[in-house]
Amino acid sequence: MAFAHYIAAVAPSLETAKPHLKSSILTPPLPSLSNSILSLGFSSLSTKLKAPKLSFFSKFSRTGQKVKAKSQEPEVSPVVDSFGQFKHLLLPITDRNPYLSEGTRQAAVTTASLAKKYGADITVIVIDEKEKESFPEHETQLSSIRWHLSEAGFQEFKLLERLGEGKKPTAIIGEVADDMNLDLVVMSMEAVHSKHVDANLLAEFIPCPVLLLPL
């Protein structure tokens, strides 16, 4: 291609110089000869380069059509498809904050959003090692749970309380998930960081997937 551009650049320069050539009987005019040589050279060169150029773009066009057709195929996200299979969600409450901690509020909103979007049911379980009588603001905490779920668009849910049993919260969550045949447990990493839930025991005690939300 560089050679073709070079020939094309030389041709005008020769023609530009044409008026300065002096014609005489002994010196035949050169423009016709030079033009014919350049014409033949450029013609043969373009003929050689023409076929590969057409072949290349033809191949590129076909490839582009394949890529475009492939991009139009609908793709289903495996994550979205998996969430659609969860029809009963468990929301464990392990902190003693009567107005719920930031992590618990996040878990409540996420659980309500998933249940509302995929038509699932919610069971809330409040777990505390101590008896209800030792927690005067227990009713305030239950009201906070109802308020946050309602604000997220979910009013109807089942509420369980497992208080003062002396069992680890992870074991209680596993028992409830197994007995009720739950599909997903939603909780915040805050429960793990605060030592309310032992992350090492999650896989051992909980028989269903667990969604741990980052802080």
Side-chain angles (χ1 to χ4, degrees):
M1 292 298 292
F3 181 69
H5 288 305
Y6 177 75
I7 292 177
V10 172
S13 65
L14 290 176
E15 291 188 5
T16 305
K18 184 165 57 176
H20 300 287
L21 295 176
K22 295 181 179 181
S23 301
S24 66
I25 299 175
L26 298 177
T27 308
L30 295 177
S32 59
L33 179 59
S34 61
N35 287 342
S36 61
I37 293 174
L38 291 175
S39 177
L40 288 173
F42 187 76
S43 175
S44 61
L45 181 61
S46 62
T47 303
K48 292 179 181 179
L49 296 177
K50 187 175 181 181
K53 185 176 180 182
L54 288 176
S55 176
F56 172 77
F57 280 104
S58 176
K59 182 179 180 181
F60 180 80
S61 177
R62 291 196 300 270
T63 305
Q65 290 176 356
K66 291 180 181 179
V67 172
K68 184 177 181 181
K70 185 177 181 180
S71 64
Q72 293 177 350
E73 295 178 1
E75 295 182 0
V76 179
S77 171
V79 176
V80 174
D81 183 65
S82 297
F83 277 126
Q85 303 301 317
F86 299 148
K87 297 304 180 182
H88 197 171
L89 313 181
L90 180 65
L91 173 62
I93 307 294
T94 58
D95 71 86
R96 303 196 80 192
N97 187 333
Y99 301 103
L100 306 184
S101 64
E102 181 181 353
T104 302
R105 292 196 298 268
Q106 181 189 23
V109 172
T110 301
T111 304
S113 299
L114 289 174
K116 184 178 179 181
K117 184 173 183 178
Y118 297 106
D121 297 323
I122 295 178
T123 294
V124 178
I125 179 168
V126 180
I127 304 173
D128 200 312
E129 295 180 358
K130 299 180 180 181
E131 298 288 343
K132 181 169 57 175
E133 291 74 19
S134 64
F135 185 34
E137 296 179 303
H138 178 70
E139 293 299 326
T140 302
Q141 187 184 56
L142 297 183
S143 298
S144 297
I145 294 171
R146 296 187 184 95
W147 187 86
H148 283 288
L149 289 176
S150 177
E151 283 295 299
F154 209 91
Q155 289 80 24
E156 300 294 330
F157 60 92
K158 186 174 183 178
L159 177 64
L160 302 177
E161 294 180 282
R162 300 286 293 268
L163 309 174
E165 296 185 6
K167 293 183 179 180
K168 293 183 178 296
T170 309
I172 295 176
I173 295 171
E175 289 177 5
V176 174
D178 191 22
D179 294 341
M180 300 186 67
N181 196 26
L182 297 174
D183 299 314
L184 180 68
V185 176
V186 182
M187 64 176 66
S188 171
M189 282 294 298
E190 183 183 67
V192 177
H193 293 165
S194 61
K195 307 299 182 182
H196 291 145
V197 173
D198 189 344
N200 296 323
L201 300 177
L202 287 176
E204 181 179 351
F205 285 101
I206 301 179
C208 63
V210 177
L211 177 61
L212 287 173
L213 304 174
L215 294 176

